[in-house]
Amino acid sequence: MHKWFSKRTIQLVNRPPPSQPEDFSDLFVLVLKCFRQFGLSTVQVTAVKGQSKFVTSRGLVVLVAFVLVVTWAALVGSFFLQYNTAMITGIANHIQFITNVVALTATLVVPMFKCDELNEMLVDFCVIDDELSYFNVKLPHWQHKSSFMRCYVVHLLFLILTASFDGYVMLIMSKETPLWLWFFHLLPFALYSLAFMNAYTMIRWVKIRIQHVNVLIEQYQKFPLFDEVGRSKFKLTSVVMMNGVEDSSINNRILMIVSRTIDLATRLESYNGLLFLFGYLALFCVTTIQVYYCYLHVFIGIPGQGFSVYSFVLSLVIIVGNLVAILSIPYICEQVGNESKKLLSYLSKLSMRYGQSVQSSVWFPNLISSVKFSALGFFNINYNMLSSFFAALITYLIIFIQFNSIVTNDEKTGQATRSGNSNIRLTEF
């Protein structure tokens, strides 16, 4: 053993080879299967040399394509139905239906062509876990599985209860909405909200791995070996000797983890880019119009003209559901950004403390600064997006109210269709 290694150091550095980590691919496949039954993934799982591999299922592709064709046919057919609606309300309902169908199309079409990216994401996750296992970092996949299943079940229960209540208000109380039209207004949000949950789950996995890297570097920053070796002799790029065998440097292993994390973030951004773009567009339109309907219920609503407590409660439930979808993705993306900044800070302090040259550490900030998510580059998914979102919501809400104030009383009366959370309900204004 080298003379620089103290007894205390030997306990931490000269550790036995890490045990085989729990296979992450089982968790990845489980999550994929949970969303595949809703058409959010058109792949089937095969085993190649003991490893899970995804291949495109032609049967699922045909089924998803059929659902999209029928949904677009329902959208076109809705323009030929006769409604006794106010002009503003009719336009708002058509805008909601159009944006929801476009979001549904983006949600279902993209996975048809992203089978290879799913395989690459699984490989990246497994490589990161293998590199972390070198440092005896074991991820509790069983805890992640139980956490996911709880969220998944709660999400499905919320969708079922919301759909049941919406169906009661629309189909039983009003008795004027065709069943097929109600169903195709309901379908888009149910599916792209599940796609949002899928994206949230995978981005959360990336955040967890960056957190483990941060903890690892923080421990090495306090490691006694550094002070015992001396600043002039130990570099982050130095080769570590274990049991007389030259092992890969800490720097190279951290580089592998960080670079794979960047690859994951890039692939997740590419995989979910269209979903984020058109999903947030649909959520913005639906939420704005639902807030407008709540305004009408509170300030203009007359019980005898179709305004009821049930319709008002349903609008509030839709707004709450939309807000959860709106806030969840920026929250987890912001968490990834914060962990990335923390990682950059730790690495900078470590390199300055032990005399790391600027040239040898310049790749760290370049890599870490790119850990972010966007809607195909149109806007970044973070808290800054929310301020713009709510500012635009208030602006368009004021426009709706102004238009409502200038229409004649005859135009305000009659049946008005309220579509929200991809639902439609007949009320009277």
Side-chain angles (χ1 to χ4, degrees), residues 69-105:
V69 170
V70 174
T71 303
W72 278 96
L75 173 62
V76 174
S78 66
F79 286 96
F80 297 95
L81 295 178
Q82 297 296 324
Y83 297 106
N84 185 20
T85 62
M87 179 182 63
I88 299 175
T89 305
I91 294 173
N93 292 327
H94 284 305
I95 290 175
Q96 290 182 101
F97 199 6
I98 292 171
T99 55
N100 278 319
V101 173
V102 170
L104 176 65
T105 303

Side-chain angles (χ1 to χ4, degrees), residues 19-253:
S19 58
Q20 184 68 24
E22 186 181 352
D23 193 8
F24 171 79
S25 60
D26 294 338
L27 175 61
F28 193 91
V29 170
L30 172 66
V31 172
L32 195 67
K33 288 182 177 179
C34 287
F35 293 108
R36 185 180 62 180
Q37 59 186 332
F38 297 99
L40 301 180
S41 178
T42 56
V43 300
Q44 59 185 8
V45 184
T46 60
V48 179
K49 296 181 180 180
Q51 299 293 328
S52 298
K53 185 176 178 60
F54 308 114
V55 294
T56 302
S57 172
R58 294 182 179 179
L60 288 175
V61 170
V62 172
L63 180 60
V64 170
F66 174 77
V67 171
L68 286 175
V69 170
V70 174
T71 303
W72 278 96
L75 173 62
V76 174
S78 66
F79 286 96
F80 297 95
L81 295 178
Q82 297 296 324
Y83 297 106
N84 185 20
T85 62
M87 179 182 63
I88 299 175
T89 305
I91 294 173
N93 292 327
H94 284 305
I95 290 175
Q96 290 182 101
F97 199 6
I98 292 171
T99 55
N100 278 319
V101 173
V102 170
L104 176 65
T105 303
T107 300
L108 297 182
V109 168
V110 171
M112 296 181 185
F113 305 97
K114 297 291 186 177
C115 180
D116 291 337
E117 288 199 13
L118 282 176
N119 287 308
E120 292 170 352
M121 283 189 283
L122 177 57
V123 170
D124 287 339
F125 276 118
C126 291
V127 169
I128 292 174
D129 289 356
D130 288 341
E131 293 297 327
L132 288 175
S133 67
Y134 170 81
F135 302 99
N136 278 350
V137 176
K138 299 180 181 179
L139 298 176
H141 296 313
W142 64 272
Q143 292 182 358
H144 298 164
K145 176 182 176 180
S146 61
S147 175
F148 165 76
M149 292 305 300
R150 286 195 299 269
C151 295
Y152 182 74
V153 171
V154 170
H155 193 128
L156 290 182
L157 287 176
F158 174 79
L159 291 177
I160 292 173
L161 293 175
T162 303
S164 301
F165 183 59
D166 191 273
Y168 171 76
V169 175
M170 292 173 52
L171 302 176
I172 298 178
M173 293 187 63
S174 69
K175 298 181 181 180
E176 298 182 16
T177 305
L179 178 62
W180 64 270
L181 187 60
W182 170 80
F183 175 78
F184 285 106
H185 273 276
L186 177 69
L187 181 65
F189 177 81
L191 292 183
Y192 70 70
S193 68
L194 287 168
F196 268 72
M197 182 184 176
N198 185 23
Y200 177 91
T201 301
M202 293 193 178
I203 296 174
R204 179 173 175 268
W205 289 342
V206 174
K207 186 205 76 169
I208 291 173
R209 282 153 179 81
I210 298 178
Q211 281 180 325
H212 280 86
V213 176
N214 286 335
V215 173
L216 181 65
I217 296 177
E218 186 179 14
Q219 290 176 350
Y220 271 101
Q221 200 173 4
K222 301 176 181 179
F223 196 59
L225 170 64
F226 293 168
D227 292 332
E228 294 171 10
V229 172
R231 298 181 182 179
S232 61
K233 296 181 180 179
F234 185 86
K235 302 287 186 181
L236 187 60
T237 55
S238 298
V239 175
V240 179
M241 301 292 293
M242 292 187 179
N243 296 324
V245 179
E246 185 177 286
D247 200 354
S248 300
S249 67
I250 297 174
N251 185 22
N252 289 338
R253 290 188 178 274

Side-chain angles (χ1 to χ4, degrees), residues 332-366:
I332 196 63
C333 291
E334 192 75 17
Q335 292 295 311
V336 172
N338 292 337
E339 292 296 330
S340 300
K341 293 176 183 177
K342 189 183 298 184
L343 176 59
L344 176 59
S345 175
Y346 284 151
L347 292 173
S348 299
K349 291 177 182 179
L350 192 62
S351 92
M352 289 186 296
R353 180 178 177 183
Y354 302 110
Q356 182 78 1
S357 64
V358 176
Q359 294 179 350
S360 60
S361 61
V362 69
W363 55 267
F364 275 120
N366 291 335

